[in-house]
Amino acid sequence: MRQRFLNRINFTDIALGIIGAALVGLIVIGSFKTLAEGNYTTRQWLDFVVFGIAQGSIYALIALGYTLVYGILRMINFAHSEVFMAGSFTAYFAAVSMAKSGFLESNTIIAVLILFAIAMFTSTAIGVLVERVAYRPLRRAPRLVPLITAIGASFVLQYTFKGLYGDQFKAYPEIDTLKGSYTWGDINITKVQVVVILSAAFLMLLLYLYVQFTKTGKAMRAVAEDKDVAALMGIDVDAIIVRTFALGAALAGAAGILYAITFRQVNFFMGFIPGIKAFTAAVLGGIGNIPGAMLGGIFLGLFESIGPILFLDGLNVPAPYQLKDVIAFSMLVLVLLFRPSGILGERLSRTKA
Amino acid sequence: MAMLDLTDIHTYYGNIHALKGISITVNKGEIVTLIGANGAGKTTTLRTITGLLKPRVGTVKLDGEDIARHKANDIVYKGIAMVPEGRGIFARLTVTENLDMGAYSRNSKTEYDSDIQRIFSLFPRLKERRNQIAGTLSGGEQQMLATGRALMAHPTLLLMDEPSMGLAPVLVELIFETIQQINKEGVTVLLVEQNALMALSIANRGYVLQSGAIVLQDSAEALKKDPTVQKAYLGME
Ligand SMILES: Nc1ncnc2c1ncn2[C@@H]1O[C@H](COP(=O)(O)OP(=O)(O)OP(=O)(O)O)[C@@H](O)[C@H]1O
Ligand SMILES: [Mg+2]
């Protein structure tokens, strides 16, 4: 009996438990000290929250692309971050020319909608192309193979865009109409944040309704569960897979515009960090799970914007905000170690092709 | 007239020769059963008919047209629906959504409404549970759902892969009665079963499959009396 029990807990479990407990301890002590010191006003905390939600909405939109594809193919589409970059980068040229002609200021709403359309179209085209060229021929290959072509496709796209548009950062034009902010009591929210949060929420609602209630949406869920049986229903599995890629890519394209109006610069390498963050968000919410990706994105955005100050300031870490990426990626590692299934999903390691 | 006609089918899994030249005929209006031990190739035969597997040699004729190399998702439009082995319900979809998927190949909203009413009158249990997630249904209810889902496609030929598997005797009886009723309404049935006695009691004709080859074929009555069938599949000495 005793032997069996000892066999079941091994050294790794103990080591992990200690690391986990230590981290939780640090977080609790850090948060407690930060709050006790009271260096930050309510207003500042609320700023962090608003910033976190806006940032998180962008992560959520990108995360949906990872989760949709994983749900249907049990595969991580590592080229997704470049699909995001492609839309944002291509729309940049339209943004610049609309800024020059004054259209961006005189008809901001139409102009921004045009930018969305261009980015979403470009991203969709690239997303579908990647599926066709890099993944579909390998549908029956061992799982590692499409992972390698995904990384390959990612590089091809990065260097294609570098070759086409150069490697400097390019400044997205600033839109005067979107300057300024609204204030209610202690809550202060910039117009850009309003645009980001509302458009992301609108797109996520559309996606949810599409997947939940349309014939194609239901077919996507059926294909995600069992491709053979779905085919017997008359569902063209390949066509549904293409639509899934297209849907995820279109959302990434939209996220590209939201990212561009928030940070106002683009570059061929811009997809990398948001891509990994969004992947973290997808894993956090439970990869393959659509509401999970949305929640995971918002949660990661909040965690990243509040976390550094809350956890680290009280521990007298200098410049805690510089560590926000460290916090985000530590979270990915921790989730993978302690709860691979994420908040809502199934276990990443246990689901097989 | 032959509705479904398999001629000299050879199907492989990689190098494994699973079907070694089988020929099966199903006439319009019949219930035909395919019996055989575990691993004989029954499921492989159905998967070959539906296009999920492509035979290396041989033809699968449906009303005279060779469909052996059609894509699986075209087959249902030809009038063939299948209740897969292990039921194959979409566990995370609701009961109604599963039935919707069964009707994927259909376009008429008015027919959809009357079809779903028909399924609900055939299986009142499904009506009670229509908004339930299918994965939480009992085994018997899942079998009803898989059958109902196949019928939503208005098949002229229904393929059933071991519908009695894992069900209590009462439920097995219910499923077999349903098969007979569906058949009376004009649906031709090819029934794969390990429960040979039940299958032969409702079938017109039967085939016995052994290690990927047809070793016997006859009317159901004659097969029930056949000494080898009695010994191997009916558990009689
Ligand atoms: N995916 C596969 N890869 C390799 N061999 C397979 C595969 N599926 C089935 N086989 C083999 O093909 C043969 C026929 O299998 P099949 O599933 O058709 O049998 P069955 O008659 O349906 O059996 P059961 O009554 O157990 O369902 C078996 O020997 C089986 O091992
Ligand atoms: Mg079988």
Side-chain angles (χ1 to χ4, degrees):
Chain A
M1 271 310 282
R2 193 185 149 83
Q3 189 59 36
R4 287 252 297 284
F5 179 71
L6 285 178
N7 279 347
R8 226 176 298 150
I9 32 173
N10 55 28
F11 176 73
T12 341
D13 287 339
I14 296 171
L16 281 180
I18 291 172
I19 294 173
L23 279 167
V24 170
L26 268 181
I27 286 177
V28 171
I29 295 169
S31 309
F32 189 76
K33 288 183 76 174
T34 308
L35 293 175
E37 280 167 19
N39 287 337
Y40 294 86
T41 61
T42 315
R43 192 181 178 124
Q44 280 171 311
W45 285 118
L46 286 171
D47 277 349
F48 292 142
V49 170
V50 170
F51 181 84
I53 293 176
Q55 181 67 58
S57 327
I58 298 179
Y59 292 155
L61 282 181
I62 310 173
L64 283 166
Y66 287 104
T67 253
L68 286 167
V69 167
Y70 185 86
I72 214 153
L73 288 180
R74 299 288 183 271
M75 184 202 92
I76 314 277
N77 175 14
F78 275 113
H80 191 56
S81 47
E82 273 53 63
V83 168
F84 159 82
M85 174 274 290
S88 192
F89 209 156
T90 307
Y92 160 81
F93 297 97
V96 169
S97 76
M98 286 196 289
K100 274 203 190 112
S101 69
F103 190 72
L104 200 54
E105 295 304 340
S106 59
N107 287 293
T108 305
I109 295 182
I110 299 176
V112 171
L113 288 178
I114 292 175
L115 291 182
F116 269 114
I118 294 174
M120 290 168 84
F121 177 81
T122 312
S123 291
T124 305
I126 303 259
V128 168
L129 186 75
V130 169
E131 190 275 332
R132 190 73 196 79
V133 176
Y135 304 144
R136 197 185 304 180
L138 302 169
R139 195 76 34 90
R140 299 200 190 295
R143 290 225 287 161
L144 194 57
V145 179
L147 201 68
I148 293 166
T149 54
I151 294 167
S154 196
F155 281 125
V156 168
L157 287 170
Q158 278 182 18
Y159 287 94
T160 306
F161 276 80
K162 183 181 175 184
L164 281 176
Y165 304 146
D167 60 0
Q168 322 86 316
F169 278 94
K170 298 191 189 294
Y172 245 74
E174 187 164 19
I175 307 171
D176 283 333
T177 333
L178 292 183
K179 275 187 187 155
S181 58
Y182 304 102
T183 309
W184 296 281
D186 273 345
I187 300 178
N188 183 55
I189 179 164
T190 68
K191 287 184 181 175
V192 167
Q193 286 168 335
V194 172
V195 171
V196 168
I197 293 170
L198 289 184
S199 356
F202 174 71
L203 288 170
M204 288 193 271
L205 179 68
L206 277 191
L207 174 82
Y208 177 77
L209 295 175
Y210 184 79
V211 172
Q212 204 59 26
F213 298 112
T214 66
K215 190 171 174 178
T216 309
K218 288 180 218 172
M220 280 177 181
R221 289 186 283 139
V223 171
E225 278 201 49
D226 191 329
K227 291 182 189 48
D228 282 352
V229 177
L232 291 178
M233 305 290 119
I235 298 169
D236 182 342
V237 172
D238 276 334
I240 293 291
I241 290 173
V242 171
R243 283 197 210 186
T244 307
F245 270 84
L247 212 54
L251 294 177
I257 295 302
L258 299 180
Y259 184 91
I261 62 174
T262 304
F263 297 103
R264 299 218 325 280
Q265 58 176 6
V266 292
N267 169 266
F268 76 99
F269 199 61
M270 67 182 276
F272 185 68
I273 295 285
I276 300 193
K277 297 267 180 76
F279 172 67
T280 306
V283 173
L284 194 62
I287 190 140
N289 185 307
I290 291 173
M294 301 178 183
L295 271 180
I298 305 289
F299 187 80
L300 183 66
L302 283 171
F303 197 80
E304 203 182 82
S305 105
I306 301 174
I309 305 292
L310 183 62
F311 307 151
L312 300 178
D313 195 68
L315 300 174
N316 299 322
V317 174
Y321 224 74
Q322 302 288 325
L323 294 174
K324 77 180 183 34
D325 290 354
V326 175
I327 287 208
F329 295 130
S330 313
M331 178 126 107
L332 174 61
V333 175
L334 289 178
V335 171
L336 287 174
L337 284 179
F338 292 105
R339 196 172 159 76
S341 58
I343 305 171
L344 301 177
E346 38 185 326
R347 280 180 87 93
L348 184 65
S349 50
R350 294 272 168 89
T351 50
K352 33 185 208 312
Chain B
M1 196 216 134
M3 177 180 212
L4 180 74
D5 208 349
L6 275 66
T7 313
D8 189 32
I9 291 289
H10 292 260
T11 302
Y12 290 75
Y13 294 101
N15 290 325
I16 301 166
H17 197 173
L19 296 183
K20 300 162 184 155
I22 67 165
S23 299
I24 291 176
T25 302
V26 181
N27 297 310
K28 195 163 171 38
E30 276 187 317
I31 299 180
V32 172
T33 185
L34 185 59
I35 57 184
N38 289 114
K42 306 180 296 293
T43 300
T44 307
T45 306
L46 296 191
R47 290 172 67 84
T48 306
I49 297 170
T50 52
L52 289 172
L53 294 169
K54 309 276 183 264
R56 206 173 283 179
V57 179
T59 56
V60 178
K61 287 203 171 134
L62 182 72
D63 298 320
E65 181 194 6
D66 187 4
I67 57 166
R69 275 136 200 107
H70 282 219
K71 290 192 343 210
N73 57 301
D74 289 337
I75 299 297
V76 68
Y77 294 92
K78 305 271 177 199
I80 301 182
M82 175 148 103
V83 178
E85 181 169 42
R87 295 151 199 141
I89 57 152
F90 301 116
R92 276 179 288 197
L93 272 55
T94 65
V95 167
T96 308
E97 285 170 342
N98 268 276
L99 295 174
D100 292 352
M101 289 298 99
Y104 189 86
S105 57
R106 318 233 354 122
N107 280 318
S108 153
K109 172 73 186 138
T110 49
E111 277 184 16
Y112 169 84
D113 290 336
S114 66
D115 287 352
I116 210 152
Q117 286 319 317
R118 173 168 162 250
I119 304 303
F120 284 157
S121 65
L122 208 52
F123 303 112
R125 278 292 267 284
L126 294 183
K127 186 173 187 176
E128 287 165 31
R129 301 184 171 265
R130 60 180 172 271
N131 295 320
Q132 191 169 325
I133 298 295
T136 62
L137 295 175
S138 74
E141 290 162 348
Q142 292 191 4
Q143 186 60 53
M144 296 174 199
L145 180 57
T147 310
R149 183 182 62 183
L151 292 177
M152 288 298 286
H154 278 223
T156 50
L157 173 63
L158 181 63
L159 311 178
M160 302 189 87
D161 198 344
E162 299 199 37
S164 74
M165 188 166 61
L167 298 187
V170 207
L171 282 172
V172 176
E173 219 140 295
L174 175 75
I175 292 289
F176 276 73
E177 274 166 27
T178 316
I179 297 173
Q180 281 180 297
Q181 188 179 339
I182 295 164
N183 177 251
K184 282 206 192 80
E185 290 168 19
V187 180
T188 308
V189 179
L190 176 56
L191 172 66
V192 160
E193 261 302 334
Q194 288 210 30
N195 191 337
L197 188 60
M198 285 294 273
L200 289 171
S201 67
I202 66 163
N204 303 99
R205 293 187 301 112
Y207 290 82
V208 178
L209 194 58
Q210 201 172 47
S211 311
I214 302 285
V215 292
L216 261 179
Q217 61 184 86
D218 212 328
S219 71
E221 280 311 307
L223 284 178
K224 262 199 275 190
K225 294 192 190 103
D226 186 285
T228 43
V229 173
Q230 288 191 339
K231 192 157 180 282
Y233 305 106
L234 301 179
M236 302 180 202
E237 286 302 322

